Amino acid sequence: MTIIAILLAFALCHFVRDLGRFRQDRWLGSWVDQAEESLSGLPGWSGVTGFLVLVGLPLLLLLLVNQALIGLLGSTGGFLLALAVLIYSFGPRDLDTDVAAVVDEEEPEQRHEALQDLLGGPVPEDPQQCREAAVESVFLHALRRWFGVIFWFAVLGVAGAFLYRVVNWLAKGDYPLSDEQRGYIRSTLQIMDWPAAQLMTLSLAIATDFDSVFKAWKAFHDEQGHGLFEGDNGFLLAAARSVVMSGHAAQDGYADQLHGPMLALQQAMDLTWRMLGVWLTVLALLLLVGVIV
């Protein structure tokens, strides 16, 4: 059921673009405001207590809904909720649509604005830096919108996918949180990102040039001077830059009609699709041997 739910969720997101309108976090902002107003007197609210309540209560409510649906409809109820949670968690927008909005735009000014939205900041003037930023943006968005959700859904079911999305929103959004609460949330996001980013790097190596990816992965850790569970997940971005900027992606025949940053952007998106294929293949194998259901 896991892989069927993932495939069906991707298909619905791809063919029914209007589903993206339902990926809203307004409820989360209202919940944080209400919790801060009503529960801020609890001991340790500005620290671990507030973090656990803000994240844990919505998760508990989801689990109760899941049990209620299973009780009413059996496994069909659980599957329908899983499908809804996946569609909701793949976001906040469709990555392939955002990339296409940049690559397919013919007006330079509108293309620049679309690229700026994708990068989440100013577009670098230097062409080399712009290409690198485009590659990093696609892979980072792929981690946060797709692969992180898929990994935790495969591990923890609907709770994992929903928790990952909520933590991601809390870490990146403008919510009235204390510095200590933000620290716990960012640490949680880092912990949840790490295994997905490692598996993305491995799938990138399988899908392209294993030697180049391994060298970039190792060089990043050697330069950063930290263990695997410390620092950030820049090893994924370093590996992605290495594959695209060294020309290995171009040698695979991707996007041969594009140039400059648009070429790098499309190559990164093509590699993301190929990595997704590797993940789904592995999930199918795990399903066959009974590791997942």
Side-chain angles (χ1 to χ4, degrees):
M1 189 186 329
T2 298
I3 190 170
I4 295 176
I6 293 171
L7 288 172
L8 188 54
F10 264 109
L12 288 173
C13 290
H14 182 76
F15 292 107
V16 188
R17 295 297 187 181
D18 286 343
L19 289 174
R21 295 184 303 172
F22 298 100
R23 299 183 190 129
Q24 304 292 330
D25 64 341
R26 287 193 293 266
W27 69 269
L28 185 58
S30 299
W31 159 239
V32 173
D33 290 338
Q34 183 177 357
E36 287 288 341
E37 181 179 349
S38 305
L39 304 175
S40 58
L42 292 176
W45 175 258
S46 62
V48 66
T49 300
F51 162 72
L52 292 176
V53 171
L54 291 173
V55 174
L57 284 185
L59 184 61
L60 177 61
L61 180 60
L62 175 69
L63 293 175
L64 291 175
V65 172
N66 185 53
Q67 290 301 313
L69 287 175
I70 292 175
L72 290 173
L73 302 175
S75 59
T76 302
F79 177 79
L80 292 175
L81 181 63
L83 184 62
V85 169
L86 277 174
I87 292 173
Y88 183 73
S89 299
F90 286 152
R93 297 183 305 274
D94 296 309
L95 177 58
D96 54 329
T97 301
D98 284 355
V99 172
V102 181
V103 176
D104 297 339
E105 180 58 56
E106 297 181 356
E107 293 294 331
E109 292 185 1
Q110 295 183 11
R111 171 181 282 185
H112 186 274
E113 292 178 0
L115 180 58
Q116 184 170 306
D117 290 340
L118 184 65
L119 298 182
V123 177
E125 295 183 2
D126 180 72
Q128 176 78 2
Q129 293 180 359
C130 187
R131 288 194 295 270
E132 292 180 352
V135 173
E136 291 181 2
S137 177
V138 170
F139 273 76
L140 185 58
H141 284 303
L143 169 63
R144 297 282 168 80
R145 299 189 195 186
W146 288 354
F147 291 94
V149 174
I150 292 173
F151 176 83
W152 288 106
F153 177 72
V155 174
L156 297 177
V158 293
F162 182 74
L163 176 63
Y164 183 81
R165 177 53 55 217
V166 169
V167 170
N168 200 300
W169 269 332
L170 289 174
K172 303 302 178 181
D174 185 20
Y175 300 100
L177 303 172
S178 68
D179 292 340
E180 192 173 355
Q181 288 172 344
R182 290 188 183 278
Y184 282 117
I185 290 169
R186 288 170 180 166
S187 296
T188 302
L189 180 60
Q190 167 65 24
I191 293 171
M192 297 187 79
D193 273 345
W194 187 88
Q198 291 285 5
L199 291 177
M200 283 181 68
T201 307
L202 178 60
S203 63
L204 178 64
I206 294 172
T208 56
D209 183 72
F210 198 100
D211 187 58
S212 295
V213 172
F214 175 75
K215 287 181 179 178
W217 177 90
K218 187 176 185 301
F220 177 86
H221 287 90
D222 291 342
E223 293 172 1
Q224 295 297 314
H226 56 66
L228 296 180
F229 292 98
E230 300 171 353
D232 58 28
N233 295 314
F235 55 83
L236 170 63
L237 306 183
R241 288 196 309 269
S242 175
V243 170
V244 175
M245 305 308 293
S246 65
H248 287 292
Q251 291 171 6
D252 287 337
Y254 294 143
D256 55 358
Q257 302 301 316
L258 301 172
H259 304 281
M262 298 306 105
L263 173 62
L265 191 65
Q266 187 60 58
Q267 287 175 342
M269 190 67 238
D270 290 340
L271 290 176
T272 300
W273 283 119
R274 181 175 285 198
M275 291 160 55
L276 184 61
V278 173
W279 275 49
L280 293 176
T281 301
V282 172
L283 286 175
L285 293 174
L286 293 177
L287 177 63
L288 289 175
V289 299
V291 175
I292 62 174
V293 295

